[in-house]
Amino acid sequence: MHASAAILLLNQQLTRLAPVDILILVLYFALVVFIGFYAKGKANTSEDFFLAGREMTAWIAGLSFVSANLGSLELMGWAGAAYQYGILAAHWYWIGAIPAMLFLGIVMMPFYYISKTHSVPGYLQLRFGEGARAVSAVSFAVMTILMSGVNMYAMALVMKTVLGWNISFSIWVGAATVALYVMLGGLRSAIINEVLQFVLIWAGAAMIPILGLIEAGGWTKLKAQIAVNVGTTDYGHMWSTLGSFKDNPMGVHWTGIVFGLGFVISFGYWTTDFLVVQRVLSANNLRSAKLAPVIGAAFKMAVPFIVILPGLLALAVLKNADGSIMHLVPESVAATTGQHSYNEVLPLMLIRYCGPGLLGLGITALIAGFMSGMAGNVSAFSTVWTYDLYGAFINKKASDKHYVAMGRWSTVIGMLVSIGTAYLVMNAASIMDYVQALFSFFIAPLFGTVILGMLWKRATHMGGFLGLLAGTVSSVGMFIWVQGDAGALRYIAMSANAKPMAENLYRALWSWIICVVVTVVVSLMTKPVPTAQLAGLVYGVTPIPDDGATTIWQKPIFWAIIVIVVFFILNLIFW
């Protein structure tokens, strides 16, 4: 989802772990494998393996929902983005997540949950037929494998840099561990480990902002020091500099942030990306399914504290051996000069503040984040492959036991393919930008198709299929146009002053508009689906079952209102 996260090019070992740090790391690996064996006995049916038996509470599903997204792109990429762009990077956590997560819980989960689908492509099949399912399933399968490989390579580079481990050894150890516990216990094992990883990430990463703010003398003094070091106060404002492409470090306009990120990319990712939606589908009842994204949104608002704040602190406190301010550089420069790159912010800050024991906990937290990202992608790939490609087009009449076996084998095969993509990454320093671009090809038009399918009963099978196809193709076309002609960005972002960061935002917006327009036009020209066939799939023809909430405290909508109020207050505070 995040366009600025780039591959880590760490080229020298930063520190060495004490025996107690190594012990913490070994215990972590042993624990996640144990969880896989523990969960194996409860993963005998397809419902158990792919949806954890739909037994997860709202809290477990909600924490897993956030943790599945809290991988290397989050931890490393956005700490580096905060160093590069300032607090503007927090938009990807607040407006770029919170409204969409609440919308998923309150509006969309009833349909996902009561349709009993195993996946988002599965919902598209019910609503728009096999064509729409095939387009989304193939796109999603490719994206998850690429993303898993990038997570794997990023983790291996951190292990190499911080621990001195061999790259190949790190890749295979991480891959084997994740493949083992997902293959054994399916989604249940992945969810349990993601909750563990969520706790570890907070325990290990929260030390940096706390100790950093103490060193900087508080938030006000931190902003003042950053202004001195970078020569502008723009790095401390979220909204007041977005009136013009020229007035902020990102080179974006508020329309791109609000509509491109806050609406299309955010809603596309959080409401239609099966990697995260799968976690919520595991909830034990409709109320838990609605409440899980609300709980996730509450925790998501706090994540900038451990991801964005370290990047801001680095602007103020990181110094060279001679006491001068350390200036981190882009990846391409770091590769040739040996300097530290933007994405080394988190390891550098971790080493700055953590001694023996604490350093082991911090490194374990980073590795937990990487493995969380890998597990999320691999478990989602296994489900989509088994149900929406193999079961839909190759072997439609196999037994439930056969599909569970296929799920386990596809986990292993998916991980092996991910290892291949991890090795490919070594030869392409900018692969992350391309992966993020490819990812947005998928989610922006998919959101247009899903939201029209749920809210507009007149949308037809042909309209949904051609709209999704047109949106995806147009997004790829705009990407190729800008890659071939940098000047094309002025047309896509509608400004000659736009910078590359704006391209993903506006390309997503245009591809969503194209998807919606094509879907509407084709639907109006083709025969409507009989209303009787839309029950359980579309608002207006589906009675929403009661979620069992009897008091205001039990109602998901009540807590969603609390979260959105806090969201607005935070944006005003950091305006």
Side-chain angles (χ1 to χ4, degrees), residues 128 449 459-468 515 518-520 522-523 526:
F128 290 116
T449 303
T460 65
H461 287 198
M462 186 59 69
F465 170 68
L466 291 179
L468 181 58
C515 170
V518 171
T519 302
V520 170
V522 174
S523 292
T526 50

Side-chain angles (χ1 to χ4, degrees), residues 103-115 277 280-281 286 289-290 293 454:
F103 185 82
L104 170 67
I106 304 304
V107 177
M108 297 180 73
M109 272 321 298
F111 286 89
Y112 282 146
Y113 198 78
I114 64 180
S115 69
V277 173
V280 188
L281 287 173
L286 179 57
K290 292 166 68 175
M454 281 190 177

Side-chain angles (χ1 to χ4, degrees), residues 2-7 72-74 76-78 81 343 432-433 436:
H2 300 317
S4 76
I7 285 301
S72 60
L73 306 186
E74 300 283 317
M76 309 299 291
W78 284 99
N343 285 323
M432 179 57 74
D433 292 331
Q436 290 302 305

Side-chain angles (χ1 to χ4, degrees), residues 74-286:
E74 300 283 317
L75 293 171
M76 309 299 291
W78 284 99
Y83 182 93
Q84 196 175 358
Y85 302 119
I87 201 172
L88 285 176
H91 280 304
W92 271 254
Y93 289 90
W94 289 350
I95 194 169
I98 307 306
M101 295 167 86
L102 298 178
F103 185 82
L104 170 67
I106 304 304
V107 177
M108 297 180 73
M109 272 321 298
F111 286 89
Y112 282 146
Y113 198 78
I114 64 180
S115 69
K116 295 294 182 183
T117 181
H118 287 82
S119 66
V120 174
Y123 172 80
L124 287 181
Q125 186 272 329
L126 294 172
R127 181 64 181 88
F128 290 116
E130 294 292 358
R133 172 200 252 181
V135 172
S136 64
V138 170
S139 301
F140 183 76
V142 172
M143 293 310 100
T144 50
I145 291 298
L146 281 171
M147 298 298 287
S148 179
V150 171
N151 268 288
M152 197 180 296
Y153 182 57
M155 180 179 78
L157 280 169
V158 170
M159 287 177 164
K160 172 181 178 288
T161 304
V162 179
L163 310 180
W165 288 11
N166 175 273
I167 283 273
S168 292
F169 176 75
S170 301
I171 286 175
W172 283 92
V173 166
T177 305
V178 172
L180 183 61
Y181 76 70
V182 175
M183 180 188 71
L184 289 170
L187 183 62
R188 187 189 309 273
S189 176
I191 285 176
I192 294 171
N193 270 304
E194 281 160 2
V195 174
L196 167 67
Q197 287 153 354
F198 181 86
V199 174
L200 277 173
I201 289 166
W202 272 93
M207 297 175 291
I208 298 173
I210 292 170
L211 296 173
L213 279 174
I214 292 172
E215 180 183 1
W219 174 247
T220 302
K221 289 185 178 179
L222 171 63
K223 287 201 299 181
Q225 187 59 52
I226 291 174
V228 171
N229 290 354
V230 302
T232 177
T233 60
D234 293 347
Y235 281 63
H237 299 286
M238 288 193 68
W239 290 101
S240 60
T241 62
L242 294 179
S244 167
F245 286 91
K246 296 186 293 184
D247 293 343
N248 61 84
M250 262 186 197
V252 299
H253 188 261
W254 69 266
T255 53
I257 294 292
V258 171
F259 298 109
L261 172 65
F263 179 57
V264 175
I265 293 177
S266 169
F267 277 69
Y269 178 79
W270 289 104
T271 68
T272 66
D273 182 352
F274 185 56
L275 187 156
V276 289
V277 173
Q278 184 186 29
R279 272 78 191 138
V280 188
L281 287 173
S282 71
N284 56 10
N285 56 50
L286 179 57

